[in-house]
Amino acid sequence: MSLKYSYITSKDKLQKVYEHLREEPYIFLDTEVSQDRVRLVQLGGREDIFILDLFDLGHEGVSVLRELLSNRGIVGHNLKFDLKYLYRLGIEPYAVFDTMVASQLLEGPEEKHSLQKVAMRYLGEVLDKSLQLSDWGKDFLGREQLEYAALDVKVVRDLFYILRERLNETPHREEVLLKTRTSRVFGLLNPIAIVEMAFVQEVAKMELSGIPVDREELERSLKDQEKALQKRVMDFMFKHRIDPMSTRQVGELLTRKYRLELPKTEKGNVSTDDKALSEYAEHPVVAELLQIRAMKKTIEKLQEIKEKLKRNRVYPEFKQIGAITGRMASMNPNVQNIPRDLRRIFMAEEGKVFVIADFSQIELRIASEYVGEEKMVRAFKEGRDLHRYTASIFLRKPEEEISKEERQLAKAVNFGLIYGISAKGLVEYAKTYGVNLTLEEAQKIREDFFNYYTSIRAWHERVKRELKEFKESRGHTLLGRSYTAHTFPDAVNYPIQGTGADLLKLSVLMFDAELRREGIGANVVNLVHDEIVVECEEHLSERVAKLLEKAMKHAGKIVLKQVPVEVEISISKRWEKG
């Protein structure tokens, strides 16, 4: 297929590019890279397509790009990749629309969202991506390579109009009006789409920034963990005469000696994976095995961080929509699931500190408003500690007389029962808070909880009826992210955790706006569910903390109309908060 485009290699033709594109409200963009350097930047308007060869155009080409993109939006596919290269060149687009993110919002994160897949799904076009891995660094690029580069921009242009219309047609909360660069430039109406598109730039910045690591502390922690695991394994071997790392030996021990009924694998062997063993988590031998495995996983996490270290920083990859709830995921390495007692391995650079902020009891605040549980809403409005408040209900004593241990129990009760866990599940969950309950005690507490918080009980019953009648439960978060669940745990989890994910992303966007307004330099380096970790110069830390708290509370008022949000902030050399 022959595609009309202009290949720009001489600097005197850059003005022509600028003249053709300067009136465009947004520009369709893609890049081709060779050995970590941008070779081509493909720009498309409503009709024209220009391919700029930065190997030939040099600084002048970068200057024209900066002038074109800094005051208008760009549209691309998997823009995080292109943005990181643009940022390195000192080019920051005014706003972005990512067709990959649009596809994820419309089809769900479980589907595949490569440009090839999305083009087939929405345009019925088959894209040949074989030239993607061709040599983009050679002196002369062939016609096929240039046509391939131009076609990607044309496909993105064709997709944009379809996907934008679909996003705006998707049912959304019209009362939530987010007036941002993204909504103005691209005419987006759906608040979730507005947040996710704007957030693409924040993810790119986070990946570029990386997170600092104390190499010595990492080595020390790794050595301590390996030593502790070795002792635990030796103790287990001495006591049970088998290797806890051998699935065959573990299977034989648990089924033959302890008569546990474990499922079989497809090959007919005894399954000893964590899911199978979790059914017998109370069994002392199983508990030992699960602890050994948890220690081994921790060591593997630390080893991965060590392997990925570059100049005392790691540069994880973040998946912006890592789950149906909108929660993020990180990998290579995963810096979101580091055990709390090992977070100290992350230490800010010389002269810098971490500002660490998290929402207090946010899932309970969200649940109370989502469900309309007036007793919880009133408690939050009155500034009461909900854990003490709940403890006073099932213990039948004044809040001021609730002990630290009783508050811990109420914490397990609140966080567990809003998601409808059983009495048996509450017994196990309470252990994670250092509290031991009998099954009878758990049943009584559960009964008291739902007799008092009747709206939560009614919500659970409604969800169960939906699942029974329709085999699925549909709904949306408080900001309007839609979901479909097929199990009870998912159906009560998705709207709460999804709203939390929306709130966190909106907070980061508002924090970025505050930093720009004051001209302050600070980098968000990690996000973990309800926690934001920022690295900044030490002398700016107090101001950054105030701006971060302001942004999070502002976002809270947009998402939660009745329940106030509370933010806990600390300033530390190490990431030890949380």
Side-chain angles (χ1 to χ4, degrees):
M1 181 188 79
S2 182
L3 184 64
K4 189 179 176 185
Y5 60 87
S6 300
Y7 180 38
I8 310 298
T9 58
S10 61
K11 295 166 186 175
D12 58 345
K13 291 184 179 177
L14 282 171
Q15 189 60 29
K16 172 191 168 187
V17 176
Y18 182 76
E19 294 295 333
H20 273 78
L21 295 177
R22 68 177 180 176
E23 299 301 324
E24 297 282 352
Y26 29 79
I27 291 172
F28 304 95
L29 178 142
D30 191 29
T31 60
E32 304 300 338
V33 174
S34 172
Q35 295 182 336
D36 214 32
R37 287 180 62 205
V38 179
R39 171 69 184 271
L40 302 181
V41 178
Q42 303 96 280
L43 305 174
R46 280 162 290 194
E47 296 176 5
D48 304 297
I49 294 176
F50 299 95
I51 300 177
L52 277 60
D53 192 327
L54 293 191
F55 280 16
D56 290 322
L57 298 172
H59 294 303
E60 286 89 341
V62 172
S63 295
V64 167
L65 284 170
R66 190 179 295 120
E67 202 167 339
L68 268 176
L69 303 182
S70 62
N71 59 3
R72 59 180 46 75
I74 62 170
V75 181
H77 194 84
N78 190 19
L79 268 174
K80 178 183 74 172
F81 174 85
D82 308 286
L83 283 171
K84 288 195 286 185
Y85 285 99
L86 293 178
Y87 287 154
R88 286 174 188 161
L89 295 171
I91 301 168
E92 184 167 357
Y94 183 71
V96 306
F97 183 104
D98 192 326
T99 52
M100 185 178 81
V101 170
S103 175
Q104 289 173 328
L105 290 174
L106 291 167
E107 306 296 335
E110 305 90 351
E111 297 292 328
K112 293 185 177 175
H113 302 282
S114 66
L115 186 59
Q116 205 171 18
K117 295 288 184 185
V118 178
M120 187 65 215
R121 188 180 297 134
Y122 289 98
L123 304 174
E125 289 186 24
V126 178
L127 287 185
D128 179 2
K129 301 296 287 183
S130 57
L131 286 170
Q132 187 173 22
L133 299 176
S134 61
D135 183 4
W136 293 99
K138 61 186 182 181
D139 291 341
F140 298 101
L141 297 176
R143 181 176 59 82
E144 283 188 337
Q145 283 180 296
L146 295 174
E147 284 200 352
Y148 166 87
L151 181 61
D152 273 2
V153 168
K154 179 191 178 298
V155 169
V156 164
R157 181 169 61 195
D158 294 343
L159 282 170
F160 166 71
Y161 296 104
I162 294 170
L163 294 173
R164 179 181 63 177
E165 187 177 350
R166 295 275 182 95
L167 286 172
N168 282 342
E169 287 174 349
T170 302
H172 54 270
R173 291 184 62 187
E174 293 183 7
E175 72 272 18
V176 179
L177 294 174
L178 294 179
K179 294 180 180 177
T180 66
R181 293 178 174 187
T182 311
S183 59
R184 287 196 302 270
V185 172
F186 301 110
L188 277 173
L189 305 174
N190 187 319
I192 294 297
I194 291 167
V195 168
E196 290 291 3
M197 293 306 171
F199 199 68
V200 173
Q201 289 174 279
E202 302 306 319
V203 177
K205 288 177 193 171
M206 230 177 5
E207 288 192 5
L208 267 183
S209 171
I211 182 166
V213 175
D214 180 346
R215 190 183 289 268
E216 287 182 12
E217 185 63 38
L218 172 61
E219 295 277 10
R220 185 161 48 248
S221 295
L222 192 50
K223 196 176 290 183
D224 289 346
Q225 291 293 315
E226 287 171 338
K227 193 174 176 181
L229 176 62
Q230 187 179 24
K231 183 179 185 306
R232 187 63 65 92
V233 168
M234 293 304 292
D235 288 347
F236 189 94
M237 291 176 77
F238 180 76
K239 193 190 298 183
H240 303 289
R241 302 298 175 187
I242 70 150
D243 180 359
M245 301 302 185
S246 167
T247 55
R248 182 185 60 79
Q249 292 180 37
V250 166
E252 288 178 359
L253 175 74
L254 296 179
T255 56
R256 292 182 183 179
K257 183 173 180 180
Y258 294 104
R259 304 294 179 191
L260 300 187
E261 294 181 8
L262 295 171
K264 296 286 181 72
T265 65
E266 288 181 5
K267 293 182 179 179
N269 300 321
V270 174
S271 175
T272 60
D273 61 20
D274 287 359
K275 186 178 179 183
L277 294 191
S278 65
E279 295 292 318
Y280 299 96
E282 291 181 71
H283 193 285
V285 179
V286 173
E288 284 182 76
L289 284 164
L290 290 175
Q291 197 162 18
I292 285 171
R293 290 181 183 183
M295 293 172 77
K296 185 171 181 287
K297 284 176 188 171
T298 296
I299 289 167
E300 287 167 355
K301 286 170 196 169
L302 295 175
Q303 286 172 335
E304 187 186 17
I305 290 170
K306 183 181 175 182
E307 288 164 10
K308 301 286 183 183
L309 266 181
K310 293 178 185 175
R311 298 177 300 280
N312 293 330
R313 292 183 89 90
V314 286
Y315 296 86
E317 179 186 346
F318 287 92
K319 193 173 181 184
Q320 182 171 329
I321 303 176
I324 198 168
T325 58
R327 273 189 170 183
M328 296 174 67
S330 86
M331 61 213 81
N332 301 321
N334 186 342
V335 292
Q336 292 183 306
N337 66 349
I338 307 298
R340 293 181 187 279
D341 60 332
L342 293 178
R343 288 180 174 184
R344 64 181 179 273
I345 65 169
F346 297 102
M347 184 172 77
E349 288 186 354
E350 189 69 33
K352 295 185 178 182
V353 291
F354 289 134
V355 176
I356 304 148
D358 66 285
F359 289 104
S360 172
Q361 301 178 2
I362 194 60
E363 289 188 20
L364 296 173
R365 292 173 190 272
I366 292 167
S368 66
E369 178 150 335
Y370 182 83
V371 174
E373 179 47 74
E374 288 301 326
K375 297 185 187 80
M376 274 190 184
V377 170
R378 187 170 61 249
F380 281 127
K381 280 182 174 177
E382 292 171 356
R384 294 159 91 166
D385 180 324
L386 195 75
H387 299 319
R388 290 187 181 280
Y389 180 65
T390 298
S392 73
I393 294 158
F394 63 76
L395 293 174
R396 295 172 174 79
K397 58 194 284 191
E399 288 171 62
E400 60 272 17
E401 292 179 18
I402 300 298
S403 69
K404 187 178 177 182
E405 292 73 21
E406 289 167 340
R407 186 181 181 277
Q408 279 293 97
L409 169 58
K411 213 171 178 182
V413 170
N414 278 331
F415 287 125
L417 295 186
I418 60 165
Y419 295 123
I421 62 173
S422 64
K424 185 182 176 185
L426 181 58
V427 170
E428 290 307 311
Y429 189 54
K431 287 178 184 175
T432 66
Y433 286 87
V435 177
N436 290 313
L437 283 178
T438 66
L439 186 59
E440 291 72 28
E441 287 170 333
Q443 285 170 334
K444 182 70 173 69
I445 289 170
R446 196 173 183 277
E447 191 178 307
D448 288 346
F449 181 91
F450 288 117
N451 283 339
Y452 189 76
Y453 294 127
T454 53
S455 294
I456 292 179
R457 182 177 62 193
W459 169 46
H460 288 174
E461 288 171 353
R462 187 182 75 245
V463 167
K464 286 172 184 173
R465 283 196 305 271
E466 279 177 13
L467 290 167
K468 188 175 181 180
E469 186 175 350
F470 304 110
K471 306 298 184 231
E472 64 180 24
S473 176
R474 290 174 177 265
H476 53 74
T477 64
L478 289 176
L479 196 61
R481 186 184 301 271
S482 61
Y483 67 85
T484 302
H486 296 95
T487 67
F488 176 74
D490 286 346
V492 293
N493 180 293
Y494 286 172
I496 310 306
Q497 290 196 356
T499 298
D502 299 340
L503 176 56
L504 190 76
K505 290 176 178 179
L506 186 58
S507 297
V508 173
L509 295 176
M510 293 192 158
F511 177 56
D512 180 66
E514 293 289 346
L515 292 176
R516 288 171 186 272
R517 196 173 292 120
E518 298 214 4
I520 290 177
N523 295 316
V524 175
V525 294
N526 204 3
L527 298 170
V528 186
H529 305 328
D530 60 358
E531 188 174 4
I532 300 173
V533 185
V534 178
E535 186 183 23
C536 69
E537 298 288 341
E538 191 167 3
H539 70 278
L540 295 172
S541 60
E542 294 291 343
R543 186 61 192 150
V544 168
K546 284 185 172 62
L547 294 179
L548 183 54
E549 182 178 12
K550 179 183 176 185
M552 292 168 78
K553 287 188 172 180
H554 186 188
K557 286 177 182 175
I558 291 173
V559 178
L560 297 172
K561 303 299 184 187
Q562 297 184 59
V563 179
V565 301
E566 292 297 327
V567 177
E568 296 174 0
I569 293 200
S570 66
I571 298 169
S572 174
K573 191 69 183 168
R574 296 182 186 274
W575 179 31
E576 293 180 305
K577 177 82 171 64

